[in-house]
Amino acid sequence: MVAGTGSYDWRFDSGRVCLDLVATAPQADRAGACGEPLAEPGRLACWLTGAGLVPAGTRLGAVDAVWVAGFLELRDSIAQLVGAALEGRAAGPALETLNDLAEGPPPGIRAVRDENGTLVRALSTAPARDALLAAVARDAVDLLTDPVARSRLRRCEGDSCARVYLDTSRGRRRRWCSSEVCGNRERVARHRRRAAAHS
């Protein structure tokens, strides 16, 4: 799933919302890196909607630089902890930051009927920064404390990608964060190398 954000496209194929947040880091996809992707509040608002943390159409007028700073801090903490889990080491103060942010209550949700009478998800109150941070932080806590999920963490093997994803493939042999993106890049590069070798 991809949500357009003007000059940047978000991808939500990591398998967990916390990993999708980590994937917004400039170095997560080096082929498309162009500064800090979450630098502007509008980009963060698009990411929050694309990630499913707020229902589509939710007004996010309160998103500002303070929101951005909070999500960047959370992203850095999760990235450190995930990196530590992959490398089998401790991550230092990142755990305390994650736990502090996870303590807050996540956003309240309710079912409402849309204009067609279909039940859809809505937030109980206007989106609050701390509640949305708590939702992502709790997802990271769930991931990092679940031995089965943690054992499925992988780094993309694509040459120009540093994304981390959850390998839920049948044989646990998935090599790329996305077969359509990094897998295609690798296949094209392999084809070019073979073509160059035969010419």
Side-chain angles (χ1 to χ4, degrees):
M1 172 189 199
V2 175
T5 59
S7 62
Y8 196 90
D9 284 332
W10 300 122
R11 286 177 38 209
F12 301 98
D13 50 12
S14 300
R16 297 294 286 255
V17 70
C18 63
L19 297 178
D20 288 334
L21 178 61
V22 171
T24 67
Q27 73 278 9
D29 187 355
R30 290 185 288 268
C34 57
E36 173 53 64
L38 289 181
E40 298 170 20
R43 288 181 176 179
L44 175 58
C46 287
W47 184 86
L48 292 168
T49 302
L53 290 167
V54 296
T58 302
R59 227 173 138 282
L60 289 167
V63 177
D64 61 11
V66 174
W67 282 57
V68 170
F71 277 89
L72 293 181
E73 178 184 34
L74 177 58
R75 181 185 72 190
D76 293 345
S77 296
I78 296 170
Q80 289 175 38
L81 290 162
V82 167
L86 285 167
E87 297 162 15
R89 59 174 174 77
L95 186 58
E96 186 177 331
T97 300
L98 178 69
N99 285 332
D100 287 347
L101 292 171
E103 283 181 2
I109 59 169
R110 58 193 178 118
V112 297
R113 296 207 182 271
D114 67 9
E115 60 276 359
N116 299 321
T118 304
L119 284 176
V120 296
R121 184 172 64 100
L123 297 182
S124 301
T125 60
R129 171 187 167 267
D130 291 349
L132 295 173
L133 284 167
V136 180
R138 286 175 179 215
D139 182 58
V141 169
D142 287 344
L143 170 63
L144 294 167
T145 59
D146 178 344
V148 173
R150 197 174 54 240
S151 73
R152 295 177 178 172
L153 283 170
R154 304 282 186 274
R155 262 192 218 288
C156 183
E157 293 181 22
D159 286 340
S160 61
C161 187
R163 286 176 179 255
V164 175
Y165 62 92
L166 209 58
D167 182 0
T168 56
S169 66
R170 206 172 259 172
R172 306 290 179 258
R173 285 180 254 179
R174 185 171 152 193
R175 296 180 50 210
W176 303 294
C177 61
S178 167
S179 181
E180 293 80 19
V181 179
C182 290
N184 277 346
R185 284 181 194 154
E186 181 65 27
R187 286 186 285 274
V188 167
R190 196 169 39 223
H191 174 73
R192 287 183 179 153
R193 286 191 299 269
R194 278 196 303 259
H198 294 296
S199 51

